[in-house]
Amino acid sequence: MLQSILIYKVFKGSEMEQEKYLIGQELIVIFERVLKIEKVVIERETECVLSMAEIHTVAAIGKDTMLRMGEIADALHITLGTLTVMINNLVKKGFVDRYKSEEDRRVVKIGLTKKGRRVYDAHASFHENLVNALVKGADPEQQKTIRMALNNLWDFIQQQE
């Protein structure tokens, strides 16, 4: 159980404040573990060693799409320079290819190779299983409450940017 791995400090306050404190501690543990486990699961399923940044770049490109560098950078909220380094590494490792546009030869699009699509599939499967575990046993109303809480968390993150 999650609570058994958390270190509790002496906490004085109302029951609601204690619950909010525990939720905060649990979120920290969950975020850290999801990133670690996600990488391990994808490596195990694909026999490919990639950083989480590389895995998320593959996911942003998409399985059956070819995108311009700017589109990928925007999706990942990173600079074109950072993305260029990432794409160069993924090309060298055989996960993505560059394609010149037929309409405009100056435009270069990025797409996944077969190896990249395997990583994409493993990543998508991990996230599907993660969501299934999150909503397991929740009725439709409870799932709406989960979505509301996630939207509140997203709004907070957006405000911090």
Side-chain angles (χ1 to χ4, degrees):
M1 176 172 248
L2 182 60
Q3 289 181 350
S4 66
I5 63 172
L6 294 174
I7 300 171
Y8 293 100
K9 69 176 187 178
V10 176
F11 189 91
K12 294 182 180 176
S14 70
E15 186 176 335
M16 181 186 265
E17 289 170 333
Q18 290 176 14
E19 282 301 314
K20 286 179 9 183
Y21 171 78
L22 290 175
I23 289 168
Q25 294 302 302
E26 291 168 354
L27 277 173
I28 291 167
V29 171
I30 290 169
F31 284 150
E32 291 171 352
R33 294 290 295 161
V34 164
L35 289 176
K36 287 179 185 174
I37 298 302
E38 182 175 21
K39 184 176 183 336
V40 168
V41 167
I42 291 168
E43 286 178 358
R44 183 177 60 228
E45 290 185 14
T46 64
E47 298 178 356
C48 298
V49 178
L50 293 170
S51 70
M52 283 309 302
E54 290 170 326
I55 290 167
H56 287 140
T57 300
V58 166
I61 293 167
K63 186 174 178 179
D64 298 314
T65 58
M66 296 216 302
L67 300 175
R68 292 187 323 269
M69 293 284 284
E71 294 171 309
I72 301 166
D74 289 347
L76 294 170
H77 305 286
I78 60 175
T79 66
L80 275 173
T82 300
L83 180 63
T84 298
V85 171
M86 183 72 66
I87 294 298
N88 287 343
N89 289 335
L90 289 169
V91 168
K92 285 178 194 170
K93 292 178 179 183
F95 293 97
V96 302
D97 277 328
R98 289 182 171 93
Y99 302 93
K100 293 228 185 242
S101 170
E102 294 298 321
E103 299 84 38
D104 184 345
R105 302 297 286 169
R106 297 171 296 173
V107 174
V108 176
K109 293 193 175 185
I110 306 298
L112 299 181
T113 62
K114 184 176 181 179
K115 194 173 171 182
R117 287 189 298 274
R118 279 190 16 241
V119 170
Y120 178 90
D121 287 341
H123 181 259
S125 176
F126 177 82
H127 279 267
E128 182 178 351
N129 292 335
L130 185 70
V131 171
N132 288 340
L134 178 65
V135 300
K136 181 180 177 183
D139 63 38
E141 264 321 293
Q142 291 168 322
Q143 288 183 25
K144 286 179 184 176
T145 301
I146 293 168
R147 289 210 50 231
M148 182 187 69
L150 291 173
N151 283 325
N152 290 343
L153 183 58
W154 179 251
D155 290 345
F156 170 78
I157 291 168
Q158 291 290 95
Q159 291 170 4
Q160 304 309 305
E161 292 185 319

